[in-house]
Amino acid sequence: MRKLIIVALVLSVGFIASNVSAQERYVGGGFEAAGHVVTGMGYQHNNNRANTEFARDGDTLTYAGPIGKYVGTAPNNRTDHFSFFVDEVELDLMKSFGENVRLRADLDFARVNSTGIGTAAFVLEQAYATANIPLGNGIEFLMGRFNAPMGFESVDVADNDLVSKTILVRALRPANLTGAKIYYAFSDFVDIHLYSVNTLTQDTLVKINDMPSWGMRLGFNWGSEGTESTFGVSGFFGPETRVSNKHFTFGGDLDLSWWATESFNVGFEGLFRRDDATTQTFGVLPGSNTEYMAALLNLHYVFSDVWDGTLRGTYAKQFDPG
């Protein structure tokens, strides 16, 4: 009986040792981790049109204003709001397998009571695999969930100049997408993204149509590292009504980030989008075709290694009630 116990103990230790060794090889080779925490406080006054803006910022519902995401309830007209908030805690995990294959996952954690109404406690912002195809300068093929390569503002607040995001990225243009994308750099100056995804827009979580949507961005890059300027021309198209494959959403976007000097950056974005009216669905009569136009101007100045300042103006208008 004693011999059997000893044998079982030896086998158990051997299994644990081999398992730990395998884990060390997996994590240690080509593994990286990064992330950020976004927290703050803010005050805003709502005018007599407090509820004219209601948008879905990825997986979160937001109201108008810089802290519209954090007020927790629909604001009333002519009200004041002060709030401390924790926007998110993000953990980014990356793993490389040699030089050609890479995995990445961006995990977003939120405190629902602080972040606002409709917030999920956990959001899988990005999760994709990429493979490098050795053709020309190298084609990067990506599949999974990824941030749309479009526009001036980033999906992550931590990567922007201001803590609040405009209505352009929160509602009017693609933000987080699930599908496949290829990226090709013709040179250090010109590159292109082409992608096919389930849905482009963020208006609803319901999808009935069975055809993918499409998008692209042609980018131009110049300047030294750290103050690199970019200009992008983007387009998107697809059956986004969610009720058929015959009614389309399409649009275009121009984005510019220009370092006029080593300290002064000028950002610009212009957007046009059109949603086709649908046929009668579930007994509801169709609306009209709806167009949106929006633009932003972002002026950012770096005073020193410690201080910087940003002034931003945004305009957005919806034409026809869709």
Side-chain angles (χ1 to χ4, degrees):
M1 183 66 178
R2 184 178 301 173
K3 292 182 180 179
L4 292 175
I5 294 175
I6 294 173
V7 170
L9 180 61
V10 170
L11 290 176
S12 177
V13 173
F15 172 77
I16 294 172
S18 63
N19 188 44
V20 170
S21 177
Q23 289 177 348
E24 288 177 349
R25 287 197 302 268
Y26 177 80
V27 174
F31 177 81
E32 300 176 61
H36 60 256
V37 176
V38 176
T39 182
M41 63 180 181
Y43 162 83
Q44 75 179 37
H45 171 77
N46 291 96
N47 62 13
N48 60 355
R49 297 184 177 183
N51 294 309
T52 56
E53 180 184 316
F54 181 66
R56 175 171 292 279
D57 180 11
D59 296 274
T60 303
L61 303 177
T62 70
Y63 298 101
I67 65 168
K69 181 179 179 180
Y70 314 116
V71 296
T73 185
N76 294 320
N77 292 342
R78 302 190 183 282
T79 56
D80 297 275
H81 299 270
F82 177 86
S83 179
F84 294 97
F85 59 85
V86 177
D87 183 87
E88 69 175 10
V89 177
E90 179 168 321
L91 175 62
D92 303 333
L93 303 176
M94 292 151 280
K95 170 68 179 176
S96 299
F97 300 90
E99 297 181 355
N100 295 324
V101 178
R102 183 166 61 96
L103 304 177
R104 173 166 176 165
D106 291 3
L107 316 178
D108 294 355
F109 303 90
R111 181 174 179 268
V112 176
N113 289 342
S114 177
T115 305
I117 187 171
T119 300
F122 170 75
V123 172
L124 187 61
E125 179 192 334
Q126 295 195 99
Y128 59 76
T130 62
N132 186 53
I133 303 172
L135 293 175
N137 295 328
I139 300 174
E140 181 187 79
F141 175 77
L142 178 152
M143 182 172 288
R145 185 163 178 79
F146 56 95
N147 297 150
M150 181 185 301
F152 174 77
E153 292 176 278
S154 171
V155 173
D156 287 322
V157 168
D159 296 328
N160 294 329
D161 296 331
L162 297 179
V163 72
S164 59
K165 295 188 292 185
T166 70
I167 193 67
L168 278 77
V169 67
R170 291 194 292 110
L172 296 182
R173 67 168 173 84
N176 293 333
L177 310 172
T178 301
K181 178 173 74 74
I182 62 173
Y183 168 79
Y184 185 78
F186 298 98
S187 65
D188 293 338
F189 178 66
V190 183
D191 56 32
I192 191 170
H193 296 263
L194 299 169
Y195 49 89
S196 176
V197 296
N198 293 335
T199 59
L200 291 165
T201 55
Q202 308 172 62
D203 302 338
T204 177
L205 298 179
V206 179
K207 176 181 171 64
I208 301 176
N209 56 289
D210 56 3
M211 295 294 292
S213 296
W214 305 84
M216 57 78 64
R217 180 184 185 272
L218 181 64
F220 302 89
N221 319 282
W222 69 96
S224 57
E225 186 176 357
T227 56
E228 185 179 33
S229 299
T230 61
F231 175 69
V233 180
S234 301
F236 51 93
F237 174 87
E240 294 288 306
T241 63
R242 312 297 202 274
V243 298
S244 76
N245 297 322
K246 299 179 180 179
H247 303 280
F248 301 101
T249 287
F250 59 89
D253 185 278
L254 299 176
D255 66 85
L256 171 70
S257 176
W258 172 46
W259 285 94
T261 69
E262 292 184 353
S263 301
F264 181 53
N265 177 269
V266 178
F268 170 82
E269 182 173 355
L271 171 75
F272 170 80
R273 168 179 157 186
R274 173 187 164 115
D275 295 336
D276 281 356
T278 63
T279 55
Q280 181 170 334
T281 306
F282 305 122
V284 179
L285 294 176
S288 59
N289 296 331
T290 307
E291 294 81 26
Y292 307 88
M293 294 187 68
L296 72 82
L297 179 64
N298 190 90
L299 305 178
H300 179 73
Y301 191 84
V302 181
F303 298 103
S304 67
D305 294 338
V306 179
W307 297 98
D308 60 60
T310 300
L311 178 65
R312 175 183 295 168
T314 306
Y315 171 84
K317 183 174 178 61
Q318 174 181 327
F319 300 88
D320 299 325

